[in-house]
Amino acid sequence: ATVRVPAGALAGVVEMERSVTAVLGQDVVLPCRYRAQEREQVEQVTWLKRGTDGHSAEVAVLHRQHGQHVQEPYAGRVLRQAEGALEDGAIVLRN
């Protein structure tokens, strides 16, 4: 996941798992938390899937004002894990 804050360069810390194990056919939580500094607010979290060829494809965008947009191959399969501020940008990938 990539995190965008309005102040430009990131001053806080992005916390996510380097690897997540999933069971085929089950839901999996993909964690991503931004530990913001004072007066920072996350504007957007973008989830990308990196292919074996090294190219990335957008999966979902979580935006503070515009809500959630999920790309067609993942429509109905991506949910935010928690409501509220985007400092918690974790998603649930279903099935």
Side-chain angles (χ1 to χ4, degrees), residues 3-30:
V3 177
R4 186 176 79 191
V5 293
L10 297 178
V13 177
V14 177
E15 299 171 341
M16 57 188 186
E17 299 296 323
R18 188 139 179 89
S19 147
V20 175
T21 302
V23 176
L24 186 62
Q26 299 291 317
D27 296 353
V28 63
V29 175
L30 302 177

Side-chain angles (χ1 to χ4, degrees), residues 1-3 16 30 32 44-51 54-62 69 71 74 78 89 91 93:
T2 59
V3 177
M16 57 188 186
L30 302 177
C32 178
Q44 177 176 304
V45 177
T46 304
W47 280 94
L48 304 169
K49 178 181 180 183
R50 186 178 312 152
H55 289 92
S56 295
E58 187 178 282
V59 172
V61 175
L62 313 176
H69 175 74
Q71 293 297 327
Y74 301 96
V78 174
I91 59 172
L93 183 60

Side-chain angles (χ1 to χ4, degrees), residues 73-90:
Y74 301 96
R77 294 185 53 216
V78 174
L79 307 167
R80 276 198 66 194
Q81 184 187 24
E83 294 298 320
L86 287 178
E87 280 73 15
D88 183 353

